[in-house]
Amino acid sequence: LLDRGRLLTLLHHAQCLVDLQAAVQQVRHLLGEQDDLRALQLRRFEVARRLQANLRESDVLARIGGEEFLAILPRSCISVARRVAERLCEVMDDQPIRLMSGEELRVTVSIGVAVAGTDGSFAVEGLVEQADLALLESKGAGRNQVTYRVSAA
């Protein structure tokens, strides 16, 4: 766990909100309702492993909700954030997640990216809010989408 002071120093420049997309109905169809919770937990673990493996050492990944992750990209401009977000989409789409039953579950992600101005003028809450708005746009556009918001500052 990060302390609040360390977290605030990492929140400068870019954040990616990542939302998983694999229908719960698909899990239930493959495994039945009784095993779907365990399968969802396995899916989250595997997704977190893949996301973390494709971030830089200085980046931070946190699960912030049921199917949402936040990637904090310190000292990152829009071009770096774009490369990272596109790589995360590709790594999730390239290979299905193999469940304990041997079945494969295809998982894609939608990503909203917010990038602060060079002076770090977005407040922490503002940057998260902008990433969330970008994520909503991505989800509305379909699977495996990345949408960007950049501060005018």
Side-chain angles (χ1 to χ4, degrees):
L1 271 174
L2 293 173
D3 65 52
R4 184 167 173 76
R6 170 117 166 91
L7 182 61
L8 291 176
T9 64
L10 294 173
L11 288 174
H12 292 289
H13 300 304
Q15 294 181 25
C16 300
L17 275 177
V18 181
D19 186 66
L20 308 183
Q21 296 155 344
V24 172
Q25 296 86 354
Q26 182 186 9
V27 174
R28 288 186 178 150
H29 173 73
L30 291 173
L31 300 175
E33 286 193 40
Q34 295 184 356
D35 289 332
D36 66 345
L37 180 59
R38 204 169 49 204
L40 290 173
Q41 290 171 337
L42 171 66
R43 180 182 71 170
R44 288 180 191 132
F45 175 79
E46 177 59 18
V47 166
R49 188 193 66 73
R50 287 185 191 184
L51 294 176
Q52 186 66 55
N54 285 278
L55 292 174
R56 302 169 304 176
E57 193 171 305
S58 62
D59 299 338
V60 175
L61 181 70
R63 182 169 159 243
I64 59 169
E67 301 297 312
E68 285 188 354
F69 292 83
L70 174 66
I72 302 167
L73 313 176
R75 298 172 304 280
S76 296
C77 61
I78 185 68
S79 62
V80 170
R82 177 177 284 120
R83 283 194 306 271
V84 169
E86 290 173 0
R87 183 173 60 240
L88 296 179
C89 275
E90 288 172 13
V91 75
M92 292 313 306
D93 191 43
D94 281 349
Q95 186 178 20
I97 294 174
R98 183 170 298 280
L99 301 175
M100 293 171 61
S101 67
E103 299 285 346
E104 292 185 342
L105 180 64
R106 180 148 187 249
V107 176
T108 58
V109 295
S110 291
I111 301 177
V113 178
V115 181
T118 55
D119 64 354
S121 60
F122 264 156
V124 170
E125 295 79 12
L127 197 56
V128 172
E129 182 180 321
Q130 291 301 310
D132 194 41
L133 290 171
L135 175 60
L136 289 174
E137 289 177 36
S138 290
K139 289 167 72 172
R143 293 176 179 261
N144 261 1
Q145 299 293 318
V146 180
T147 304
Y148 305 91
R149 295 269 175 137
V150 180
S151 168

